[in-house]
Amino acid sequence: TPLDTTLRVAAPMDFKPIDITLEEAMQAALQNRIELKQAADEIEEANRMSRVSENNLKPQLDLIASYRQSGIDEPFDDAFQLDEERWFVNLSSSTDWSRTAEKAAYQQSRLAIRMARLNHWAKIDSIKQEVRQNFDALQKTEERIHIRDTQIDQAAGKLALANVQFSH
């Protein structure tokens, strides 16, 4: 079609109010908002990091065990005798036994969990507030539409009366 073609759009003038309660609207919003899923993922990630930090509280210990068997070789003996056995067991570590940095990291991870939970609850409250505002706006819009419909009916009645009076 050419660009200079005139288009006429007609929209229906009937209005069907949305039949939903505030609680249903809030429930639907809380189930379908991606922000809440992201906040839940943040909580899970904070929990995971806290488990890692808690595991880092344990000192790193290395157990080293070795075994040797030795003997004395006599120059004129035909048999080589291994008559001496030695076992060595050592514990070694290269970590700080007080684990102050790891304890601080663990405490920070616990705080991160609390902050993630508070963030989650703040998002829930924000969504509830947004739903309430939109629900109130929707109700006010429905009231305005009802008032406009009443005004249209009254104007149509006045027009019909005016037409009757004009005819006589």
Short mmCIF file of all heavy atoms in Angstrom, two decimals, residues 144-158:
data_model
loop_
_atom_site.label_atom_id
_atom_site.label_comp_id
_atom_site.label_asym_id
_atom_site.label_seq_id
_atom_site.Cartn_x
_atom_site.Cartn_y
_atom_site.Cartn_z
N ARG A 144 -13.28 6.35 36.85
CA ARG A 144 -13.38 7.42 35.84
C ARG A 144 -14.12 6.92 34.61
O ARG A 144 -14.92 7.66 34.01
CB ARG A 144 -11.98 7.92 35.47
CG ARG A 144 -11.40 8.86 36.51
CD ARG A 144 -10.20 9.63 35.97
NE ARG A 144 -9.13 8.79 35.46
CZ ARG A 144 -8.11 8.34 36.18
NH1 ARG A 144 -8.02 8.63 37.46
NH2 ARG A 144 -7.18 7.58 35.63
N ILE A 145 -13.85 5.70 34.19
CA ILE A 145 -14.55 5.15 33.02
C ILE A 145 -16.04 5.03 33.31
O ILE A 145 -16.89 5.36 32.45
CB ILE A 145 -13.95 3.78 32.62
CG1 ILE A 145 -12.55 3.99 32.03
CG2 ILE A 145 -14.85 3.04 31.65
CD1 ILE A 145 -11.79 2.70 31.77
N HIS A 146 -16.38 4.59 34.51
CA HIS A 146 -17.80 4.48 34.87
C HIS A 146 -18.47 5.85 34.87
O HIS A 146 -19.60 6.01 34.37
CB HIS A 146 -17.94 3.82 36.25
CG HIS A 146 -19.36 3.67 36.70
ND1 HIS A 146 -20.24 2.82 36.08
CD2 HIS A 146 -20.05 4.28 37.69
CE1 HIS A 146 -21.42 2.90 36.66
NE2 HIS A 146 -21.32 3.79 37.65
N ILE A 147 -17.77 6.86 35.40
CA ILE A 147 -18.31 8.23 35.40
C ILE A 147 -18.50 8.72 33.97
O ILE A 147 -19.52 9.31 33.63
CB ILE A 147 -17.39 9.17 36.21
CG1 ILE A 147 -17.49 8.83 37.70
CG2 ILE A 147 -17.75 10.63 35.97
CD1 ILE A 147 -16.44 9.53 38.56
N ARG A 148 -17.50 8.46 33.10
CA ARG A 148 -17.60 8.88 31.69
C ARG A 148 -18.76 8.16 31.01
O ARG A 148 -19.49 8.79 30.21
CB ARG A 148 -16.30 8.58 30.93
CG ARG A 148 -15.10 9.31 31.44
CD ARG A 148 -15.11 10.76 31.02
NE ARG A 148 -13.85 11.36 31.42
CZ ARG A 148 -13.72 12.54 31.94
NH1 ARG A 148 -14.78 13.30 32.10
NH2 ARG A 148 -12.56 13.01 32.30
N ASP A 149 -18.95 6.88 31.29
CA ASP A 149 -20.08 6.16 30.70
C ASP A 149 -21.40 6.77 31.14
O ASP A 149 -22.33 6.92 30.32
CB ASP A 149 -20.04 4.67 31.09
CG ASP A 149 -18.99 3.89 30.33
OD1 ASP A 149 -18.52 4.38 29.27
OD2 ASP A 149 -18.62 2.78 30.78
N THR A 150 -21.51 7.14 32.40
CA THR A 150 -22.73 7.78 32.91
C THR A 150 -22.95 9.12 32.22
O THR A 150 -24.07 9.45 31.81
CB THR A 150 -22.62 7.97 34.44
OG1 THR A 150 -22.36 6.71 35.05
CG2 THR A 150 -23.90 8.55 35.01
N GLN A 151 -21.85 9.89 32.05
CA GLN A 151 -21.96 11.18 31.37
C GLN A 151 -22.37 10.99 29.91
O GLN A 151 -23.18 11.77 29.38
CB GLN A 151 -20.63 11.94 31.45
CG GLN A 151 -20.31 12.46 32.83
CD GLN A 151 -18.91 13.07 32.91
OE1 GLN A 151 -18.07 12.84 32.04
NE2 GLN A 151 -18.68 13.84 33.97
N ILE A 152 -21.84 9.96 29.26
CA ILE A 152 -22.22 9.69 27.86
C ILE A 152 -23.69 9.33 27.77
O ILE A 152 -24.42 9.81 26.88
CB ILE A 152 -21.33 8.58 27.26
CG1 ILE A 152 -19.90 9.10 27.06
CG2 ILE A 152 -21.89 8.05 25.95
CD1 ILE A 152 -18.89 8.02 26.68
N ASP A 153 -24.18 8.48 28.71
CA ASP A 153 -25.60 8.12 28.71
C ASP A 153 -26.48 9.35 28.94
O ASP A 153 -27.51 9.52 28.28
CB ASP A 153 -25.88 7.07 29.79
CG ASP A 153 -25.28 5.71 29.46
OD1 ASP A 153 -24.95 5.48 28.27
OD2 ASP A 153 -25.12 4.88 30.39
N GLN A 154 -26.06 10.23 29.88
CA GLN A 154 -26.84 11.45 30.14
C GLN A 154 -26.82 12.37 28.92
O GLN A 154 -27.86 12.95 28.56
CB GLN A 154 -26.27 12.19 31.36
CG GLN A 154 -26.53 11.50 32.67
CD GLN A 154 -25.82 12.18 33.84
OE1 GLN A 154 -25.04 13.10 33.64
NE2 GLN A 154 -26.10 11.71 35.04
N ALA A 155 -25.66 12.48 28.27
CA ALA A 155 -25.57 13.34 27.07
C ALA A 155 -26.43 12.77 25.95
O ALA A 155 -27.08 13.53 25.21
CB ALA A 155 -24.12 13.47 26.63
N ALA A 156 -26.45 11.44 25.80
CA ALA A 156 -27.29 10.84 24.76
C ALA A 156 -28.76 11.10 25.06
O ALA A 156 -29.57 11.38 24.15
CB ALA A 156 -27.01 9.34 24.68
N GLY A 157 -29.14 11.02 26.35
CA GLY A 157 -30.54 11.33 26.73
C GLY A 157 -30.88 12.77 26.45
O GLY A 157 -31.97 13.08 25.94
N LYS A 158 -29.96 13.69 26.77
CA LYS A 158 -30.20 15.12 26.50
C LYS A 158 -30.29 15.38 25.00
O LYS A 158 -31.10 16.20 24.54
CB LYS A 158 -29.08 15.96 27.11
CG LYS A 158 -29.15 16.03 28.62
CD LYS A 158 -28.01 16.88 29.16
CE LYS A 158 -28.02 16.91 30.67
NZ LYS A 158 -26.93 17.72 31.21
#
